[in-house]
Amino acid sequence: MQNSVREGSSSVYIDTNPTTARETITNKLNYYSSMASTTTFFYTLSAILLLSLTSVSNACPASDRAALLAFRAALKEPFIGIFNSWKGNDCCQNWYGVSCDPETHRVADITLRGVSEDPIFQKARRTGYMTGSISRSICKLERLSGLTITDWKGISGPIPPCISSLPFLRHLDLVGNKLTGEIPADIGRLSQLTLLNVADNEITGAIPGSLTNLSSLVHLDIRGNKISGAIPINFGKLKKLRRALLSGNMLNGPIPNSISQIYRLADLDLSVNHLSGPIPASLGKMAVLATLNLDGNQISGPIPSTLISSSISILNLSRNAIEGNIPDAFGPRSYFTVIDLSYNKLRGGIPKSISSAMYIGHFDVSHNNLCGPIPAGPPFDHLEASSFVSNDCLCGKPLGAC
């Protein structure tokens, strides 16, 4: 039974039969429930698809993955298993030593150290050993900013020349391998490079002229190689350089005067080479130079007095052919933790002004042609006889009486 109620121009029909009303309500509830279930299903499906698409977009590009796999294929690491995690489609996800840019999802850094406190090394209870070579496929990682492959002892072959084509490279650290060949000739193209470390390898050839174009370089370490030739005369162009470590090579020729133009340089090590000629006096005028190692060369001429009155605290000029007197230029601001002048051709006596120095730790003038009394008091009261032996006629404590 239905009653019609008219209000204005519209009519509303009310079903007054209880059974029919309940059926109507139930049908409508079922309808809306079905619609809600369908909507939930579509929302769930959309969320799954969105998550899947997001996951795919966050993965590294296939080209980067392929480059990494080609890089791995050229290396053999039998003991630690660092490459065991290099599997799956996403090289940005849990690939050992690989880091990606969070925005572009391109490979940004590769860090593989043969000496590490990483748990994978602790579990193996040994340091790493790797053979093979550095594949040129590394150059396909166009957004690479850091490449660290250090202390694997057995990696050989050249540094890929194409590495100079990586415009975002900031760190290149390849210390402690058996790399051969030369430093890439176009290394100077890496305008963002701040660290270049190829120490303790078997690299030959000369320092490339383009290296002085590395305007951002802060740390240069080429120690312990077989690099020959002269230090570039315009080495002073490296204005941001703080450490220049060139020891243990076969470098020859003079020390460039332009080095003194690197006003941030704090550590200069040119020891154990074949350098010749005089020491530039301008080195003693460098504001922050704290360590100067020139030992084991063929340097001649006198010791510039500027070195004695400078801010240098570690001065090693031993095993050269330096002549003349020790400059009488010590003063209250002289602070030397090490001053080693042994195995040269120095003459005269030990200057009296040395007694006015603020501090002198290790002092060695052995194996020269010095003569005269050793000053009494500090710093000589804590030095041993070995610091003064094999001179012409030095005397006094800790040697024999004059």
Side-chain angles (χ1 to χ4, degrees):
M1 178 179 179
Q2 293 180 340
N3 293 330
S4 177
V5 179
R6 180 176 296 275
E7 293 184 3
S9 59
S10 60
S11 298
V12 177
Y13 296 94
I14 301 175
D15 193 339
T16 58
N17 186 324
T19 300
T20 305
R22 279 196 300 271
E23 290 177 354
T24 301
I25 293 171
T26 299
N27 290 337
K28 289 187 176 183
L29 286 173
N30 289 337
Y31 170 76
Y32 288 124
S33 176
S34 175
M35 289 293 293
S37 297
T38 302
T39 303
T40 302
F41 170 75
F42 280 114
Y43 275 129
T44 303
L45 182 60
S46 298
I48 292 172
L49 289 173
L50 182 61
L51 184 62
S52 176
L53 289 172
T54 302
S55 177
V56 170
S57 64
N58 287 344
C60 70
S63 58
D64 280 12
R65 180 179 179 274
L68 286 173
L69 292 178
F71 165 76
R72 182 188 71 177
L75 297 168
K76 184 178 181 181
E77 191 282 296
F79 301 113
I80 308 297
I82 63 167
F83 292 128
N84 291 347
S85 62
W86 286 32
K87 53 189 177 182
N89 291 327
D90 189 3
C91 59
C92 294
Q93 187 70 28
N94 298 323
W95 282 36
Y96 183 88
V98 177
S99 301
C100 296
D101 185 287
E103 296 182 0
T104 64
H105 309 294
R106 300 294 303 273
V107 173
D109 291 279
I110 300 174
T111 304
L112 302 174
R113 302 184 189 276
V115 178
S116 172
E117 296 182 359
D118 192 275
I120 193 173
F121 284 83
Q122 294 180 2
K123 183 178 179 180
R125 296 182 178 180
R126 60 164 296 150
T127 57
Y129 181 78
M130 193 186 302
T131 57
S133 61
I134 301 175
S135 169
R136 60 180 292 109
S137 65
I138 204 78
C139 304
K140 296 180 180 179
L141 299 171
E142 299 167 352
R143 304 290 297 191
L144 196 66
S145 64
L147 179 61
T148 300
I149 307 171
T150 61
D151 298 314
W152 291 102
K153 308 176 187 69
I155 298 177
S156 58
I159 301 170
C162 62
I163 211 160
S164 301
S165 66
L166 295 172
F168 299 99
L169 197 64
R170 295 174 57 84
H171 293 80
L172 180 58
D173 192 351
L174 306 175
V175 61
N177 293 291
K178 287 186 177 180
L179 298 175
T180 56
E182 302 182 4
I183 298 173
D186 292 333
I187 194 78
R189 294 173 58 190
L190 299 174
S191 60
Q192 296 191 38
L193 196 69
T194 61
L195 181 147
L196 175 59
N197 188 350
V198 294
D200 299 328
N201 281 283
E202 298 176 6
I203 294 172
T204 56
I207 298 173
S210 74
L211 186 139
T212 59
N213 294 329
L214 296 173
S215 56
S216 300
L217 196 64
V218 174
H219 182 108
L220 173 64
D221 193 347
I222 61 173
R223 292 176 292 179
N225 283 286
K226 301 175 182 178
I227 298 171
S228 58
I231 300 172
I233 193 171
N234 60 346
F235 197 81
K237 286 177 61 180
L238 300 170
K239 299 297 185 184
K240 293 185 179 180
L241 201 61
R242 295 179 184 173
R243 302 191 76 197
L245 310 177
L246 286 69
S247 64
N249 283 287
M250 296 185 290
L251 297 170
N252 56 42
I255 301 170
N257 283 295
S258 67
I259 289 180
S260 61
Q261 299 169 12
I262 310 174
Y263 63 91
R264 297 182 182 180
L265 191 64
D267 189 352
L268 177 61
D269 189 352
L270 305 178
S271 61
V272 195
N273 280 288
H274 304 303
L275 300 174
S276 58
I279 301 171
S282 55
L283 294 182
K285 299 178 182 179
M286 299 177 68
V288 297
L289 187 64
T291 300
L292 178 60
N293 290 323
L294 302 179
D295 52 296
N297 282 286
Q298 299 164 13
I299 296 170
S300 58
I303 299 174
S305 60
T306 54
L307 296 186
I308 302 301
S309 59
S310 68
S311 60
I312 295 171
S313 60
I314 297 176
L315 177 64
N316 193 343
L317 306 180
S318 65
R319 299 180 185 278
N320 280 287
I322 299 173
E323 303 169 320
N325 297 335
I326 300 174
D328 194 8
F330 293 89
R333 298 180 63 183
S334 300
Y335 190 102
F336 289 96
T337 56
V338 174
I339 180 167
D340 192 343
L341 309 177
S342 62
Y343 291 92
N344 279 290
K345 299 177 181 180
L346 296 170
R347 295 185 177 276
I350 297 174
K352 293 181 180 179
S353 64
I354 197 169
S355 297
S356 67
M358 179 187 299
Y359 176 78
I360 292 182
H362 176 76
F363 179 78
D364 192 343
V365 291
S366 64
H367 299 275
N368 279 286
N369 303 118
L370 299 174
C371 195
I374 298 171
F380 302 100
D381 52 3
H382 72 270
L383 297 174
E384 298 181 358
S386 59
S387 295
F388 304 97
V389 298
S390 297
N391 277 284
D392 285 355
C393 51
L394 278 181
C395 59
K397 188 178 180 180
L399 298 179
C402 293

